[in-house]
Amino acid sequence: MKKGIIALGLLASLSAYSQESYVPQAGEGIVYFLPKTKVAIDIIATKVDYQPGDFSLYASRYLRLNNISSQPESHWEIKDIQVRLVGVPDSTKAYIMKLKDKSMASNVELTDKGIVKAINTTSTEKESLPDYKLEKPQPHENARKYMTEDILMAGSSAKMAELTAREIYNIRDSKNTILRGQAETMPKDGASLQLVIDQLNKQEKALMQAFTGTTDRTDKVFTILVEPSNDAQEQVAARFSTQLGVLPAKNLAGDPVYVSIRNTSTLPMPEEDKKKKKADGAIYNVPGKGNVTVTYQGKKFFNDEMAFTQFGYTEVLVDGLFDKKVNTRVIFNSTTGGILKIDKD
């Protein structure tokens, strides 16, 4: 009764698919899908935000720092592009696992999308997103925390900048004196010495940012799904703009990110799969191979061979394998629909 409820629930979800899809009849058994492969292109982009310091206009005069901008600015950079495969239900490959008294193939595990995962066992395969190490903005020290009373009481920004630059030079002199061993009071040991140097570096960095400004870098992952076709060359998957970031393929404000998918499978192609829809037994995919290349502005970010259901074919695990006299266990790859493991006793 429970299996019938599962079958009816899955059949209800079939109505959202194409009318050309194979739709099994209710009550025949357990409905399952085979997956088709889509290419997930993960563009790891970095947003760079620059905020000028309070004394940016005086950086050249007091610290001899040129090209320091006094205007805030933001832009995007492509940090990396990674490619992975995802499996989605193939609306043209919906099948029935018939429930028979003499068959042991009624214990079927499905994904939440109805894709077959295992028969007579439990799949250990876990669907998880890649764990990219993303850069996040770090807190900045407040320069005023390290400004002396004379600096804070100065009557103009120019005077404050001058005194702050003088304090930076004093900090540098103190570091050099300590490192040369010429300080009147030297740290007692190496650990104490490092602690003092680290604190002086921290003060210098905070005060320097009053002139140079601060830059924050924030990584974000943009995912684009591409469904392969035979030998899709130089297809625009997305576009990228240094001002706007990752854009849809049709937005001409950015430069194209190209994906090429080339069928490299050498599998012998069997007869049409239509006969297999009526065959007794579990139908599964034999995936083929395809080469995936992703480029942006002439730079190749990804180039590798991957498994694709669209470049393969389907086969049948004959019903005799699931006779009550034989305990056959099968685990499928939910991304490609291929067999990961099969054993029996």
Side-chain angles (χ1 to χ4, degrees):
M1 182 64 182
K2 185 177 180 181
K3 293 291 194 298
I5 294 173
I6 295 173
L8 289 172
L10 286 170
L11 280 171
S13 68
L14 288 172
S15 60
Y17 289 91
S18 168
Q19 294 298 318
E20 297 179 358
S21 306
Y22 170 69
V23 182
Q25 298 301 310
E28 292 182 12
I30 300 174
V31 181
Y32 68 93
F33 289 101
L34 292 183
K36 62 180 175 181
T37 308
K38 286 191 176 184
V39 176
I41 302 174
D42 291 333
I43 301 177
I44 299 96
T46 305
K47 187 179 182 183
V48 183
D49 293 306
Y50 167 76
Q51 290 294 329
D54 292 339
F55 308 143
S56 59
L57 294 175
Y58 307 101
S60 177
R61 182 190 303 180
Y62 296 121
L63 293 175
R64 299 295 186 267
L65 296 175
N66 300 318
N67 301 320
I68 300 297
S69 175
S70 60
Q71 299 298 320
E73 187 267 340
S74 295
H75 69 273
W76 287 86
E77 301 171 356
I78 288 184
K79 186 174 186 178
D80 195 12
I81 299 179
Q82 293 292 326
V83 174
R84 54 193 170 88
L85 299 179
V86 296
V88 298
D90 189 339
S91 61
T92 67
K93 293 181 180 179
Y95 301 107
I96 280 286
M97 181 69 70
K98 294 183 178 180
L99 303 179
K100 298 180 180 179
D101 292 338
K102 295 182 179 181
S103 174
M104 294 291 290
S106 58
N107 181 16
V108 181
E109 183 184 9
L110 307 176
T111 69
D112 56 358
K113 297 178 182 178
I115 297 173
V116 62
K117 290 180 67 176
I119 299 176
N120 291 339
T121 186
T122 300
S123 173
T124 57
E125 182 185 22
K126 294 183 179 179
E127 298 181 29
S128 59
L129 294 175
D131 185 20
Y132 298 122
K133 293 182 178 180
L134 303 180
E135 192 173 355
K136 297 181 180 180
Q138 300 299 316
H140 301 289
E141 284 285 338
N142 186 351
R144 291 180 176 271
K145 178 180 176 182
Y146 301 104
M147 290 181 180
T148 64
E149 183 180 358
D150 288 341
I151 296 173
L152 295 174
M153 295 296 291
S156 66
S157 295
K159 187 62 176 179
M160 289 182 70
E162 180 185 356
L163 294 176
T164 301
R166 191 177 300 170
E167 183 68 14
I168 291 172
Y169 289 128
N170 289 337
I171 291 172
R172 291 175 180 175
D173 288 341
S174 297
K175 285 195 296 183
N176 289 332
T177 301
I178 293 173
L179 292 174
R180 291 169 184 163
Q182 299 173 350
E184 293 182 5
T185 304
M186 287 293 296
K188 296 180 180 180
D189 52 38
S192 299
L193 173 64
Q194 188 61 53
L195 188 64
V196 171
I197 295 298
D198 288 346
Q199 183 61 30
L200 290 173
N201 285 335
K202 186 177 181 181
Q203 293 177 20
E204 181 185 355
K205 181 179 178 181
L207 293 175
M208 282 292 295
Q209 286 176 346
F211 292 91
T212 62
T214 59
T215 300
D216 290 322
R217 301 176 64 86
T218 308
D219 290 346
K220 187 175 180 180
V221 180
F222 298 84
T223 300
I224 298 94
L225 289 180
V226 177
E227 186 167 340
S229 58
N230 281 323
D231 294 329
Q233 299 297 315
E234 296 294 308
Q235 178 180 346
V236 179
R239 293 182 182 271
F240 182 80
S241 163
T242 56
Q243 296 301 314
L244 303 174
V246 178
L247 303 170
K250 294 182 179 180
N251 191 331
L252 301 182
D255 295 330
V257 177
Y258 291 110
V259 56
S260 295
I261 305 171
R262 180 168 55 88
N263 187 350
T264 59
S265 181
T266 58
L267 294 173
M269 298 304 291
E271 296 181 1
E272 291 292 327
D273 294 340
K274 293 181 180 179
K275 295 180 181 179
K276 293 172 185 175
K277 290 180 179 178
K278 297 182 180 179
D280 287 335
I283 300 176
Y284 65 96
N285 286 330
V286 179
K289 294 288 185 180
N291 183 265
V292 181
T293 304
V294 179
T295 58
Y296 173 69
Q297 292 186 337
K299 180 180 178 181
K300 190 177 291 185
F301 280 87
F302 186 88
N303 182 30
D304 201 1
E305 192 172 63
M306 311 180 85
F308 287 90
T309 60
Q310 289 89 328
F311 301 151
Y313 57 92
T314 57
E315 273 296 348
V316 182
L317 282 171
V318 294
D319 208 23
L321 286 173
F322 302 102
D323 190 275
K324 284 191 174 183
K325 296 180 180 179
V326 182
N327 183 19
T328 302
R329 298 175 295 277
V330 187
I331 297 177
F332 300 95
N333 185 316
S334 59
T335 299
T336 66
I339 294 177
L340 289 177
K341 184 180 179 181
I342 181 169
D343 57 21
K344 59 185 178 178
D345 52 34

